[in-house]
Amino acid sequence: MLIETPERDTASLFAALGDPTRLSLLTKLSDGQSRSIAGLSAGTDLTRQAVTKHLRVLEEAGLVISSKVGRESQFAFRPEPIDDIRAYLDSVSQQWDDALSRLRTFVKR
């Protein structure tokens, strides 16, 4: 059994965001409007099955949430995981800044 850790959770977010199709779906959903699979696949070359597969990955990563409306599933963007990624990247950036500062101090001696 895998134990969820913040690093594993962050990795799953990056993995979900690492696909251009999933990024495109998130872009469509980021306007705050929930959409059905049919609505998300309209005007694209993607099949409903492909859109469903990508939405499931995004949902497992916590980036979208689904709800049933009649016989359809509606998908909506969840911005909180993006905030988590931003905080993680800020932390990594600070670590690099600190390391470079220590290196700069060492080289100037």
Side-chain angles (χ1 to χ4, degrees):
M1 179 172 155
L2 282 176
I3 297 172
E4 279 296 314
T5 63
E7 293 81 13
R8 187 178 317 281
D9 191 45
T10 301
S12 70
L13 287 170
F14 280 114
L17 293 171
D19 181 90
T21 301
R22 290 192 284 271
L23 281 175
S24 174
L25 291 170
L26 276 182
T27 299
K28 287 180 181 179
L29 291 170
S30 68
D31 66 359
Q33 300 294 315
S34 62
R35 290 184 177 74
S36 67
I37 294 166
L40 289 166
S41 60
T44 71
D45 293 334
L46 296 171
T47 64
R48 290 172 59 140
Q49 183 177 351
V51 170
T52 300
K53 179 183 133 191
H54 286 293
L55 286 170
R56 294 295 170 226
V57 172
L58 292 169
E59 189 170 28
E60 287 173 13
L63 291 160
V64 299
I65 189 167
S66 66
S67 59
K68 282 283 196 189
V69 177
R71 295 183 337 188
E72 279 189 336
S73 290
Q74 292 283 318
F75 291 84
F77 174 61
R78 289 190 63 244
E80 297 86 1
I82 299 298
D83 295 335
D84 295 343
I85 287 175
R86 181 175 293 124
Y88 172 79
L89 290 174
D90 288 344
S91 171
V92 170
S93 177
Q94 186 60 53
Q95 290 172 12
W96 275 103
D97 288 347
D98 294 345
L100 289 172
S101 179
R102 288 191 305 274
L103 178 61
R104 191 176 302 116
T105 300
F106 176 77
V107 169
K108 287 182 179 180
R109 289 184 182 177

